[in-house]
């Protein structure tokens, strides 16, 4: 019996590919002040999503590169306060990098 391949996504921070189950999905939610980034750990919120390792280093890279606006196709710089708070509350998880050790 053939094994099915796991869906892979690219992290908007480090730009490495990983299985979708290892990445945190992020969506942009519109409000009167613009857009704000919301974590979607259950991967069920409607709308376009961006994927990122749940790692503060990847978050910092994505913010520095302004990757969320491009990935989510929103104009301007979305508010990342709720996402930053979510990442600081999460216990650190080891990030598996498939290209390390080569």
């Amino acid at each position: 019996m053939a094994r099915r391949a796991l869906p892979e996504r690219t992290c908007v921070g480090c730009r490495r590919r990983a299985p979708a189950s290892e990445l945190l999905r992020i969506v942009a939610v519109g409000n009167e002040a613009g857009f704000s980034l919301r974590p979607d750990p259950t991967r069920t919120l409607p709308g376009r999503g961006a994927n990122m390792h749940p790692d503060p280093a990847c978050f910092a890279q994505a913010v520095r590169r302004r990757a969320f606006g491009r990935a989510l196709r929103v104009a301007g710089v979305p508010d990342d306060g709720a996402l930053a708070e979510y990442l600081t509350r999460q216990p650190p998880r080891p990030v598996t990098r498939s290209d390390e050790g080569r």
Side-chain angles (χ1 to χ4, degrees), residues 43-95:
R43 305 182 79 81
T44 57
L45 291 176
R48 186 172 188 84
N51 293 282
M52 180 185 75
H53 288 107
D55 179 18
C58 287
F59 174 69
Q61 281 183 315
V63 169
R64 189 181 75 240
R65 292 178 38 245
R66 297 182 183 171
F68 291 116
R70 282 192 305 277
L72 297 170
R73 296 184 183 170
V74 296
V77 179
D79 176 31
D80 57 15
L83 181 58
E85 181 182 328
Y86 176 83
L87 289 173
T88 58
R89 287 185 295 155
Q90 297 302 307
R93 287 190 340 189
V95 177

Side-chain angles (χ1 to χ4, degrees), residues 2-79:
R3 289 182 20 186
R4 294 184 63 183
L6 296 174
E8 285 194 343
R9 303 288 184 261
T10 301
C11 173
V12 295
C14 65
R15 304 293 299 153
R16 290 193 175 108
R17 293 187 62 79
S21 60
E22 293 180 12
L23 300 174
L24 174 65
R25 183 172 183 259
I26 297 143
V27 295
V29 176
N31 56 25
E32 61 278 348
F35 288 96
S36 62
L37 301 176
R38 297 280 191 250
D40 184 15
T42 59
R43 305 182 79 81
T44 57
L45 291 176
R48 186 172 188 84
N51 293 282
M52 180 185 75
H53 288 107
D55 179 18
C58 287
F59 174 69
Q61 281 183 315
V63 169
R64 189 181 75 240
R65 292 178 38 245
R66 297 182 183 171
F68 291 116
R70 282 192 305 277
L72 297 170
R73 296 184 183 170
V74 296
V77 179
D79 176 31

